[in-house]
Amino acid sequence: MDLIDPGFTPYLFLIGAFLAFAAVVVGGVALYANGMVLKRVPAAAFLEDVAARLATKREELKAVAISEEERRREAREALVELERVRAARQAEEERLSAIRVDIEASKDEARRAEEISAELAEKFQRLAEVERDLQAKEERLEELKRREARVDDAEVRIGEIEAAISALADARSKAQEELERTSGDLQAKRDELQAAELGVAEAATQAEAARRELEAARGAADALENRIAELRRLADAGGEEVAAIEARAREARERADAADRAATVAEAAAAAQQALLADAETAAAEAAAALDRKREDMLQAEQAVAVLQVRASALEAEILRLRGEHAGGSATGADGTPAPLDLERVPECLGTEDADGNVKPAMAKRLARTDERDALEDVRKHLAALKLSFPDRTLKAFHTCLKVSPISPITVLAGISGTGKSQLPRRYAEAMGLHFLKVAVQPRWDGPQDILGFYNYLEKTYKATDLARAMVHLDPVNWPDRARPFQGHMMLVLLDEMNLARVEYYFSEFLSGLEGRPLPGTETADRVRKLSLQLDLGRIGKGVRSLYAGHNTLFVGSMNEDESTLSLSDKVLDRSNLLRFPRPEALANEPPSDHDAAFDAHLPEEQWRSWCRRFDALPDPVKTNAKDWVRRLNEAMDSMGRPFGHRLNQAILSYVANYPGSDDQGVARIAFADQIEQRILPKLRGVELADSAAPLEKLHGLIANDLKDNELAKALRDAMADDGTGRTFNWRGVRRTA
């Protein structure tokens, strides 16, 4: 009897041949692909050319990933086939054992069975080698991704430092101008001090001369007294001489007394000069205090001017109203129908409205996307298609700043012109599914009517802005009929070049309203009405109507940092997250695409809110570390006289909680380090280094040892270096290399 069924033998050889051929093909393809990848991407060339070939490399990585997935599938199929062959082999071995028990097997057939077993073992070994090769490819892919991330982070850090250097240069120029303005007052005090010092020196010289003369006179008087005593012993020989000598002694005593009195006068003069010098120093201190008071008076005067400008605008509106009433104007048209309310027109950023009043939203469909990572990936693809390049860390930071808008209601993008500050919000809104409205700030803006509109008493109509119209259609409490077609929609508003005018003048009231909003999910109709802005619509709107800026409206501001713009006040900075756009390392040769993509679906507000997390949702180890970091951070700030309160604490923790992937401790460290860089270190400007060495060292230890941000720690070390000249802390930003 044959050991192997002759009918099964050809299939077994075919399976073995197929497996051998598959292993050779897979191994060859893997070696070829590995060689091509290593040939295209040598380590040194990759690091040098990564900025220019980043998009191409991403596509290559995706292709490699797809290829590796195909190889894994083939390997899994081969494993399944081998398992089937192994099972058949096991069955055959059992059959052979049974045959050996019954009869003596043929030696030739047994040798053939052993050869087949050896071939199968060789196939298993080759399959293991293929698996190891696949693992090596996966590790190579991960290494390439890590290198790409390090390059992106380096670009962000370099740009942030360059922007900080530019800001510090502007601050130095302004400080120099302030010193020149105060130098005139201080020079007079210096002249008085110099004159007082000269007077003291002269009085000291006179006193010294008087003392020398007094000592000489006293010496002469002593000599004369000795002479008198000697002459008295010789009284027999010269009575007249004794009298003469006594007269001379009296004269010497009188001169000594006069010199003593002169010395006393000189000492009094010196004391008077010292008093004058002390008075001059006191006057200099008072002059410095007066200079500080004058600065405060100037600030109050500027605020008073702003109030007067608002009052002037109100008076002008009242004048227009009175003129209109005097002219007999009305709130109706020529046919007697009510004049149309400009505030209720649908803005182009939201949609269109036909003559019959039918509203068609610009993005009527609802996006079915639910995963936050997929949404960010869509934004990345959209930016790449438009030839726009932003580091991944910048995109995540911008996305996180918008998510924490309930506590930090505005995100500020700062930097030099032409770095994409206006493009990022616009393109992000397109890909994310948000309506987008760009508001161009004008230098003449001085009140809230510039962003919301005003009532024209001559024309009997409210001249609304696109922002006011958009807010009307997104306010379901005060304007339920107008807001019904846009239920669940969201809008991103960009205040372009927001610091061309003083933000406190035109945006302060609006910002206070944003800050006072109840948290999402706690809004009720009564609370919304109480916190709404009041618009004077005159006769056409029955007096005053309310307008509420809800959490469905996100605010972003861009600002160029140059000599033609104004700096932001502490009130604005304390309520915002500031992202800096650095000078690009490699300049683009072609402008980005400017066409508007056709997006016809919006992101539902409830989906956006589902991505937002509270700090309590983080894992316990991350929460514990973050709270400890905040505590130590505030202790160090308090030691330097710059502590922070509940709002900044909540803003930092909310940012950490909402940063993508912050459940991981390493990602949470990145988010916390970003908040220190953006919101904490700028608050230390002007701190005396000599008095703050210990708390600065604690802050440095937190960054270096706990957050493990070596670049930020090095930049802080450079800023806190004390050269012994009494200089103050001056934060210059951080240049990152990875």
Side-chain angles (χ1 to χ4, degrees), residues 32 85 159 196 204 305 321 404 468 505 556 560 568 586-587 619 634 649 714:
Y32 176 77
V85 172
V305 168
R321 184 184 66 80
V404 299
Y505 292 173
V556 177
N560 292 328
L568 299 181
L587 298 177
N634 205 13
N649 168 63
K714 182 180 182 302

Side-chain angles (χ1 to χ4, degrees), residues 268-285:
Q273 293 294 336
Q274 289 287 353
L276 288 175
L277 180 60
D279 292 340
E281 292 176 348
T282 302

Side-chain angles (χ1 to χ4, degrees), residues 397-648:
F398 179 73
H399 176 68
T400 306
C401 290
L402 295 180
K403 289 171 64 179
V404 299
S405 62
I407 192 169
S408 298
I410 184 170
T411 301
V412 179
L413 311 180
I416 61 175
S417 179
T419 52
K421 300 185 300 298
S422 300
Q423 285 286 347
L424 177 58
R426 174 186 174 187
R427 302 309 183 181
Y428 173 94
E430 288 177 350
M432 190 62 68
L434 312 177
H435 296 281
F436 177 76
L437 174 61
K438 179 179 178 181
V439 179
V441 176
Q442 302 299 320
R444 60 175 177 77
W445 284 12
D446 58 5
Q449 67 275 5
D450 292 311
I451 59 174
L452 294 178
F454 63 96
Y455 179 70
N456 189 317
Y457 286 91
L458 289 178
E459 299 179 5
K460 302 299 185 197
T461 184
Y462 188 89
K463 296 295 184 181
T465 63
D466 280 345
L467 176 59
R469 297 189 190 97
M471 291 174 59
V472 163
H473 291 84
L474 295 176
D475 183 358
V477 174
N478 297 304
W479 304 82
D481 294 333
R482 305 305 300 178
R484 190 170 294 110
F486 301 95
Q487 183 178 1
H489 289 234
M490 295 186 66
M491 178 177 66
L492 191 152
V493 178
L494 171 64
L495 299 177
D496 197 34
E497 298 192 54
M498 63 182 299
N499 60 332
L500 282 180
R502 288 199 176 277
V503 181
E504 312 88 83
Y505 292 173
Y506 71 87
F507 200 67
S508 179
E509 180 181 354
F510 202 92
L511 185 60
S512 297
L514 295 177
E515 185 184 14
R517 296 175 300 182
L519 293 176
T522 65
E523 298 167 301
T524 63
D526 290 339
R527 297 184 68 184
V528 166
R529 292 190 181 96
K530 291 178 181 178
L531 297 172
S532 297
L533 301 171
Q534 303 301 310
L535 302 181
D536 181 12
L537 303 186
R539 296 179 178 178
I540 60 170
K542 298 180 181 180
V544 176
R545 289 292 299 269
S546 299
L547 185 62
Y548 180 71
H551 293 290
N552 55 1
T553 305
L554 309 174
F555 288 89
V556 177
S558 69
M559 55 179 287
N560 292 328
E561 296 178 321
D562 56 39
E563 66 278 0
S564 66
T565 57
L566 303 170
S567 60
L568 299 181
S569 66
D570 289 340
K571 176 179 179 179
V572 178
L573 289 176
D574 286 345
R575 290 157 178 80
S576 63
N577 281 303
L578 178 62
L579 301 180
R580 294 192 177 275
F581 281 61
R583 174 183 62 83
E585 282 296 311
L587 298 177
N589 297 324
E590 296 181 0
S593 177
D594 196 39
H595 73 276
D596 291 325
F599 291 93
D600 60 349
H602 70 275
L603 178 70
E605 183 181 4
E606 62 267 23
Q607 183 60 59
W608 171 269
R609 294 299 161 207
S610 70
W611 297 342
C612 301
R613 298 200 303 172
R614 299 178 62 87
F615 179 72
D616 292 338
L618 288 174
D620 289 338
V622 176
K623 289 191 296 185
T624 301
N625 286 335
K627 290 178 181 178
D628 182 64
W629 296 338
V630 170
R631 178 186 58 80
R632 293 162 56 190
L633 179 63
N634 205 13
E635 288 176 355
M637 295 292 287
D638 185 49
S639 300
M640 293 179 279
R642 307 292 172 88
F644 54 83
H646 299 300
R647 180 174 60 242
L648 186 53

Side-chain angles (χ1 to χ4, degrees), residues 109-130:
E109 292 295 333
R111 190 178 299 111
R112 283 189 62 191
E114 291 175 356
E115 290 174 355
I116 292 174
S117 298
E119 289 177 358
L120 289 175
E122 184 180 357
K123 299 298 186 300
F124 281 117
Q125 182 178 0
R126 291 180 182 177
L127 203 55
E129 292 175 355
V130 171

